[in-house]
Amino acid sequence: MADLDVVVVGAGFAGIYAVHALRSAGLTVRAFEAGSGIGGTWFWNCYPGARCDVESKDYSYSFSPELEQEWSWSERYPAQPEVLRYLNHVAGRFGLWPYIQLNTRVTAAEWDGERSEWTVTTDDGASRTARFCVMAVGCLSAYQVPSLPGLETFAGPWYHTSRWPREGVDFTGQRVGLIGTGSTGIQVAPEIAAAAAHLYVFQRTANFAVPNRNRAVDPSWEREFKADYRSYRKQAQESFLGVPITGTGRPALAEPPADIQRNLMERWRAGGGMPFLGAYTDVLVDRAANDIVAEFMRDRIRETVSDAAVAELLCPTAYPVGAKRLCQSDDYFAMFNLPNVTLVDIRSAPVSSVYAGGLRTADSVYELDALVFATGFDAISGALNRIGIRGVGGVPLTEKWAAGPRSYLGMAAAGFPNMFIVTGPGSPSVFSNMVLSIEQHVEWIRDCVAYLGSHGYSTVEAKPSAEDAWMAHVTEVAYSTLFPLADSWYVGANIPGKPRVFTPYLGGVGPYRARCDEVAAAGYEGFVLD
Ligand code: NA7
């Protein structure tokens, strides 16, 4: 008999809710978390300026009406410390601490076909057996530092934003180099610029950013909003992104140009990426419509940045707007008007090496006291590939995914019975309100485990044919949009040598939920139950 019913790997939003939901269903559960605290992404990414790009009213658990009434968010877009406080509150409120083991990294998980159980090994040398394994490792947890020649010779400190020192970093009086201008780089840059003697922003690809218009939550708005929270959550579940947004419902190409500009400006002034990109139905599928929105955004950069050459360099042209994660910032572009900030184009003159005193590019040398990497993650599959996961016949997950990550419904991989992935490849995951998707996945997994128990089955495994069909569908939907045109982490293009596979499911969380429900209602169609 296995030690546990379920081992949960990770204690971020997904792991915390998995522990609660599975325990509430009467199962014995233990979660292992590498960090010294819970929170996952929100634990590790404690760099200054870290903030969620989904509004707090949406980016919060909906499973408990009491919780959602009790908790008050202070800001429209929550900053990292507040998200972390929230998750710690949830763990305490629902009595989850005894079931979460911190400072413990799972190093291997191996399926034993004879005993129908997983053996999970941790970095303290211990092993546990469990009937089920729930991988709640996060989509953006395996961070990457580029291999720059000479980095080991750099005399000053260097940091990756995803492993920021918890005690903070004082850049006062320093010359700081920042590599990476995605969502993270755009958030951290103004914070560094406010303290440093000089900030050099090394930009490989210019990125689009909309304003947050972040603000304190108004208590009267909150009261009114909370009065109708349940029906709002229902709308979210049925929506496309997991956040109910109001678009015009019309294609931009059928709209008079002046109306488009007026409408985009209204949304720009209101702030937020989802309402802005969702203004028209064709922006993410038709390049001509996309160009209108992209040019609108470039015009905002041009009117914000006073040096015309710097503004032009900051104008993204390499990909359709939205095809990479749309960044959000209230102060990034204006920061380039500060005398202590320099934008360096490393697309035309790439970084050649790091030396003790700084960084060399193809055409210049930059003297630096500290280096910051905001260079992103081996997304979605990276964290799973770093665990030694072996399925039926001892086959490693890395071998199965050698040509790219794949799974059935983004939750289960053929050849890996009784292993569930929360927001894995082929799930709406990062293309949705993650918290809402996590809740849906976890509840589906909980119900599947309960179904096995009540019907006398001990194992569940995705059929290869179901996995193939699901991934073909994921690909077909993705290639009907403009998303594949960008070299983004959605396709793994940011990791040298990673196979180019479009991993998030773009079919929308409402239709996805309906499909998952159909699969369950049909006795877990596409799975072998044994
Ligand atoms: P991203 O979005 O992957 O951004 C990483 C940035 O780092 C991006 O500007 C990259 O340029 C740059 N990068 C990566 N490797 C290099 C090298 N070798 N040299 C120079 N520049 C490099 O990660 P984030 O952490 O910003 O955001 C991840 C997600 O977190 C975000 O999408 C939100 O969902 C939250 P590139 O564009 O590849 O040319």
Side-chain angles (χ1 to χ4, degrees), residues 41-42 45 47 51 53 140 144-148 160-162 178-187 202-207 319 324-327 346-347 351 373-379 430 434 487-490 493-496:
T41 296
W42 295 105
N45 287 273
Y47 60 85
R51 189 178 291 286
D53 60 3
L140 295 163
Q144 71 134 355
V145 177
S147 45
L148 297 179
H160 189 282
T161 42
S162 187
L178 169 67
I179 298 182
T181 52
S183 301
T184 302
I186 282 177
Q187 287 186 338
F202 296 94
Q203 173 187 279
R204 188 165 71 177
T205 308
N207 273 314
Y319 63 94
K324 281 190 177 197
R325 179 79 168 208
L326 184 59
C327 305
I346 54 167
R347 172 70 62 183
V351 175
F373 293 102
T375 42
F377 303 86
D378 183 352
V430 294
M434 281 294 284
D487 287 335
S488 65
W489 56 261
Y490 295 144
N494 62 326
I495 302 296

Side-chain angles (χ1 to χ4, degrees), residues 251-272:
L253 294 180
E255 190 97 338
D259 290 1
I260 299 178
Q261 295 298 312
R262 189 177 30 75
N263 190 8
L264 290 179
M265 188 54 89
E266 271 171 25
R267 287 165 190 260
W268 184 265
R269 291 201 175 113

